[in-house]
Amino acid sequence: MKHQPNLKNFKTYLLLSVLSLSGLWSCRPDVEEFRPYDDSLADISRLLAQVTPVSNPQSFVFGGAVADTILSTSNGVRVFLSDTEKLFADSNGNTVTFSTCPNLSIEIRFINDRSDLISLGRHTMTTEGKLLESLGMVDIRATCDGTPLQLLPGRSIKVQIPSNQPLKSGLKPYIGNVVENTLTGWENNGGEVFWADWQAGNSSLQLGYEFLATQLGLQMIAIPFEEPLTSFCVTLPENFNRENSVVYVLTQNVLSLASLTAEPGSNTFCIENAPFGYPVEVFTISKIETDFLMGYKQTEIGTNATVTIEPDGSSMNEVIEFIKSL
């Protein structure tokens, strides 16, 4: 009689063989991970990082106890340090004194250039999406042997920002809300901005503004745009979206930058609180597959206006040079 195979044992053997092969295949070191899309925004960020900033940070290094002092930068910003032994703390809240830190560094960057707003990612919009006119932006950082410091609770530092234009009223101090190195918006710090004057290095009288910074990091003195406000949108071609494009609106004649946003899958970028009647410049950067594209248009904010831009292919150097020319 012909022998019949044991189907149950055969199926078990087949299943174990398939699982064994699957395990060996999953451990292969030469299998490439599938990427559903290229990271265009990261490529745009790397491009912006290649733009040489106009505003360079200036560092002040201390190696021991320091009496009350004023740090004056080459571009006219002044930062006042007082009661320095009870001024800074580490991330755990422990007091860090000048006398016990052998290498305490304070870095000050004054951002007052339109191209720097774009290349450094420093728009002038509040966390609620309202656009601000900047009268000066500073980034103040402190470290002890390379470890970041913060102000002790209840402490503040006085900051003076120079102005070469007639002084304005109605300004407020704002703190930049930064999440994972990205500026998400500005928040009013609840203080006041005052007019000030002081003797400059050449003995001339410098006019400017004065405020108290209640924390380190990004600080800005600014004024909101007055009513009326309106929505303003920019429409790009269909294959452009928030995954591969950034859209900026620069207000002419003042220091102000809006970073427009789009809904997922949309090619229309908008801001809801644009200053009605202001002349603006729209600037776009996109990365489609391997190509960079750039768009630019001068226009004016109208009632619920939408403008259309057709970006052109551009080399990285062309985009960088254009940003520097803004």
Side-chain angles (χ1 to χ4, degrees):
M1 184 176 66
K2 189 174 182 180
H3 178 71
Q4 297 293 327
N6 188 324
L7 294 178
K8 181 178 180 181
N9 291 340
F10 176 76
K11 290 179 179 179
T12 301
Y13 172 79
L14 180 62
L15 177 60
L16 290 174
S17 298
V18 171
L19 291 175
S20 177
L21 289 173
S22 299
L24 289 173
W25 181 261
S26 64
C27 294
R28 285 181 58 185
D30 58 339
V31 175
E32 294 185 1
E33 181 181 356
F34 173 69
R35 295 183 62 190
Y37 57 87
D38 56 350
D39 200 346
S40 296
L41 294 183
D43 290 337
I44 293 175
S45 296
R46 284 188 281 269
L47 181 150
L48 294 176
Q50 296 184 47
V51 181
T52 303
V54 175
S55 53
N56 293 313
Q58 188 167 341
S59 296
F60 301 84
V61 181
F62 305 89
V66 174
D68 293 358
T69 187
I70 302 174
L71 308 181
S72 299
T73 69
S74 58
N75 45 32
V77 173
R78 305 210 305 173
V79 174
F80 292 69
L81 304 180
S82 61
D83 196 8
T84 56
E85 293 296 275
K86 300 177 182 179
L87 184 59
F88 295 123
D90 60 22
S91 59
N92 296 319
N94 302 312
T95 301
V96 178
T97 65
F98 278 71
S99 59
T100 58
C101 179
N103 184 14
L104 197 149
S105 175
I106 298 177
E107 181 183 278
I108 304 170
R109 183 197 289 266
F110 181 41
I111 304 170
N112 203 37
D113 183 85
R114 295 183 355 143
S115 65
D116 281 2
L117 294 184
I118 292 177
S119 63
L120 297 174
R122 302 295 182 244
H123 62 76
T124 63
M125 300 174 64
T126 68
T127 51
E128 293 82 20
K130 295 183 178 180
L131 189 59
L132 302 170
E133 174 191 348
S134 174
L135 277 299
M137 188 185 300
V138 292
D139 192 355
I140 305 172
R141 302 171 185 266
T143 59
C144 175
D145 286 338
T147 301
L149 302 178
Q150 59 192 11
L151 290 180
L152 277 166
R155 293 303 311 271
S156 61
I157 52 178
K158 184 168 72 174
V159 180
Q160 291 179 335
I161 294 179
S163 175
N164 296 323
Q165 302 293 329
L167 300 183
K168 296 185 178 183
S169 301
L171 279 73
K172 295 294 182 181
Y174 291 83
I175 298 172
N177 185 26
V178 179
V179 178
E180 295 182 352
N181 297 320
T182 299
L183 174 64
T184 62
W186 294 91
E187 298 177 350
N188 191 322
N189 82 351
E192 299 292 334
V193 177
F194 303 95
W195 292 0
D197 59 75
W198 59 91
Q199 291 298 129
N202 56 4
S203 299
S204 62
L205 190 65
Q206 174 66 60
L207 299 179
Y209 301 98
E210 177 180 298
F211 71 99
L212 291 179
T214 56
Q215 67 180 49
L216 300 182
L218 278 175
Q219 319 283 328
M220 179 172 68
I221 54 173
I223 184 170
F225 283 95
E226 297 179 356
E227 301 283 352
L229 303 175
T230 185
S231 64
F232 179 77
C233 296
V234 175
T235 298
L236 299 178
E238 289 187 3
N239 58 326
F240 293 68
N241 52 59
R242 69 178 192 177
E243 301 295 332
N244 58 31
S245 302
V246 292
V247 177
Y248 304 105
V249 173
L250 298 107
T251 308
Q252 292 186 12
N253 305 318
V254 298
L255 189 64
S256 178
L257 175 70
S259 179
L260 276 57
T261 58
E263 295 297 324
S266 172
N267 61 328
T268 298
F269 297 71
C270 297
I271 176 176
E272 297 301 323
N273 299 288
F276 178 81
Y278 275 74
V280 295
E281 299 168 64
V282 182
F283 175 54
T284 73
I285 311 174
S286 304
K287 175 79 182 304
I288 308 294
E289 295 181 350
T290 60
D291 299 323
F292 282 100
L293 301 99
M294 180 173 60
Y296 176 80
K297 178 177 287 189
Q298 293 188 3
T299 184
E300 185 175 292
I301 302 293
T303 303
N304 301 322
T306 298
V307 300
T308 300
I309 290 183
E310 294 282 343
D312 295 321
S314 305
S315 68
M316 293 181 62
N317 286 338
E318 287 174 333
V319 178
I320 291 171
E321 290 304 316
F322 188 84
I323 294 173
K324 291 166 62 175
S325 71
L326 289 172

